[in-house]
Structures are given as C-alpha cells and as structure tokens.
Amino acid sequence: MSSLFDSVRNLVHDTAQGLIDADVTTKVSDMYAGFLSAGLGVANDTLKVVRDITAPPPPAPPGP
C-alpha cells in the first residue's frame, strides 16, 4: 500500500514540477488574456458601427 501511495505522490510531484518548469500557468493566462482582448476589441468595433448607424440625421441647412 505504501508503494502505491509513493507512486501516486511521485506522479503528482513530477506533474506539478513539469507544469512549473514549462511555465504552463503563465502561458494559459496569456492565451486567455489574448482571447479576451480580441473579443473586447470586436465588441468595441461593433459598438462603433451601431453608434454610426443610429446617429441622428444632421440638421437641415438654413433656407434662403
């Protein structure tokens, strides 16, 4: 039973060490930040189009 526990402990330790060494958490957070930034950029562009489409008409020029 002890050897099974030691094997699991070693597997967990080695996996955690591998993730730390590969800098996985930073890479994943950078990836999500990139997706979020791109998504918000698209939303901002969409809002600008909606603003332009729904703008009130310009005032009529003064008549003679």
Side-chain angles (χ1 to χ4, degrees), residues 5-64:
F5 178 72
D6 288 341
S7 295
V8 171
R9 182 180 55 79
N10 285 338
L11 176 65
V12 170
H13 172 76
D14 292 346
T15 302
Q17 186 64 47
L19 292 172
I20 291 168
D21 291 344
D23 205 21
V24 170
T25 54
T26 302
K27 291 175 183 175
V28 169
S29 71
D30 290 346
M31 178 186 67
Y32 281 122
F35 284 143
L36 182 61
S37 178
L40 290 176
V42 169
N44 190 42
D45 292 342
T46 303
L47 287 172
K48 287 178 183 178
V49 169
V50 169
R51 178 198 60 197
D52 293 344
I53 290 172
T54 59

